[in-house]
Amino acid sequence: MNHEKAAIKTTYFSIISNSCLAIIKGIAGIYGNSYALIADAIESTTDIFASFLVLLGFSYAKRPADKNHPYGHGRIEPLITFIIVAFLVTSATIIAYKSIQNIQTPHQAPAPWTLFVLSAIILWKELSYRIVLKKGKEINSTSLIAEAWHHRSDAITSIMAFIGISISLIFGKGFETADDWAALAAAGFIIYNSYLIFRPALGEIMDEHLYDDLVEEIRNASLEVPGILGTEKCFIRKTGMKYHADLHAIVEGTLTVVEGHDLAHKLKDHLLDKIPHLTEVFIHIEPN
């Protein structure tokens, strides 16, 4: 299975998971008198829309390079990630606003059975986080990694809801708003998590140097080509799930232009074969 198909399959998993959980959380929150669960349902609903955006991004990103986009269309991925972050911040703001309103309004404590619902949700969301994160790292997808952190943030907001409901039930009268304080704390965590998602996507857009391991891999693989004496500059830019490399290779200074040209092609072919997540390598020959 290629990277694009794996990413799409994983995103569908997220959509189905979040759809089911949004319904369960919403029903449990309404009938169990828990705004923390309702807040959780709101976050899961925004995650569904975010996942559809990720799917659209993958469809666009897999378009081949053309005259107007010589490096391909992969940069749509971090742009989609920015939109996902906007969804998260919006949901966190809504949750915080409603939490403050509920804290100021007297109400009943949540139903005890909501704790069992939350326990199952926490386990499932943590498992979903691990599944999606593993796939995101395997295929170098910024959007999938952001999608994974949606699952992790969902798990943590559910843990906060669990703690809030437990406090309100254990301590009784006067602690009914613990559930709402938990939802407010969850909103703060979502904001913080949004920054963690936003930062690497920004680095990708800005061509920030973040790929030391890949640079080292390219340098070592280059030395396997007969005639390559060493490497000098090596710059990496990420576009979607693939990488472009600009490499200065050191060769014997007595080579002819044709020999240097042929050697550059051999080096490029070797690197593309040796390192599958490289999609293009631009070689500049440096005489020794």
Side-chain angles (χ1 to χ4, degrees):
M1 184 184 296
N2 63 34
H3 287 182
E4 288 78 12
K5 288 183 179 179
I8 291 171
K9 183 177 179 180
T10 305
T11 305
Y12 275 123
F13 165 79
S14 292
I15 291 172
I16 294 170
S17 172
N18 287 325
S19 298
C20 293
L21 288 179
I23 294 170
I24 293 169
K25 291 173 183 178
I27 293 173
I30 293 169
Y31 288 99
N33 194 41
S34 169
Y35 184 68
L37 260 175
I38 294 174
D40 236 355
I42 292 172
E43 187 192 3
S44 291
T45 302
T46 61
D47 287 350
I48 295 168
F49 289 108
S51 294
F52 277 113
L53 282 174
V54 171
L55 278 179
L56 290 174
F58 286 144
S59 298
Y60 185 83
K62 68 182 182 181
R63 293 182 180 182
D66 55 34
K67 183 178 179 180
N68 292 327
H69 305 88
Y71 291 102
H73 298 77
R75 283 290 171 85
I76 190 69
E77 266 215 72
L79 293 178
I80 290 293
T81 302
F82 293 158
I83 299 174
I84 292 173
V85 169
F87 268 100
L88 282 173
V89 172
T90 301
S91 65
T93 302
I94 294 171
I95 291 168
Y97 175 74
K98 292 295 292 182
S99 297
I100 293 170
Q101 280 189 324
N102 286 350
I103 288 170
Q104 297 171 338
T105 306
H107 58 79
Q108 294 179 339
W113 57 264
T114 56
L115 292 176
F116 295 101
V117 175
L118 280 167
S119 297
I121 289 171
I122 290 166
L123 290 174
W124 176 249
K125 293 304 288 186
E126 180 62 21
L127 178 62
S128 299
Y129 161 76
R130 294 176 184 273
I131 291 172
V132 178
L133 182 68
K134 180 181 178 182
K135 184 57 66 176
K137 288 183 175 180
E138 283 178 1
I139 63 178
N140 301 304
S141 171
T142 306
S143 296
L144 268 191
I145 292 173
E147 186 83 358
W149 276 102
H150 274 165
H151 291 294
R152 168 56 69 83
S153 67
D154 222 359
I156 293 179
T157 52
S158 296
I159 290 172
M160 291 176 178
F162 187 96
I163 294 171
I165 293 172
S166 298
I167 290 173
S168 65
L169 292 173
I170 292 171
F171 294 97
K173 189 171 178 60
F175 287 86
E176 295 89 351
T177 58
D179 172 57
D180 305 305
W181 282 105
L184 186 59
F189 174 78
I190 294 170
I191 294 292
Y192 172 69
N193 189 50
S194 298
Y195 170 75
L196 295 181
I197 297 171
F198 173 81
R199 185 61 187 84
L202 178 64
E204 188 173 326
I205 284 287
M206 298 298 293
D207 284 329
E208 187 176 354
H209 179 66
L210 302 169
Y211 314 109
D212 286 329
D213 290 343
L214 180 56
V215 168
E216 189 64 23
E217 187 177 1
I218 290 172
R219 291 190 188 282
N220 291 335
S222 298
L223 296 177
E224 297 172 1
V225 178
I228 300 298
L229 305 180
T231 55
E232 200 178 60
K233 298 174 184 176
C234 184
F235 303 127
I236 305 292
R237 66 163 61 91
K238 186 171 183 287
T239 56
M241 304 175 205
K242 297 289 188 177
Y243 297 90
H244 293 256
D246 298 302
L247 178 66
H248 288 220
I250 301 171
V251 301
E252 179 59 51
T254 57
L255 293 181
T256 65
V257 173
V258 172
E259 290 172 332
H261 176 79
D262 291 341
L263 189 53
H265 272 284
K266 288 179 182 178
L267 175 57
K268 175 180 177 178
D269 293 341
H270 178 72
L271 290 175
L272 292 177
D273 181 65
K274 183 86 173 183
I275 308 173
H277 43 277
L278 279 178
T279 190
E280 185 60 88
V281 183
F282 298 98
I283 307 293
H284 177 79
I285 295 298
E286 292 281 358
N288 184 26

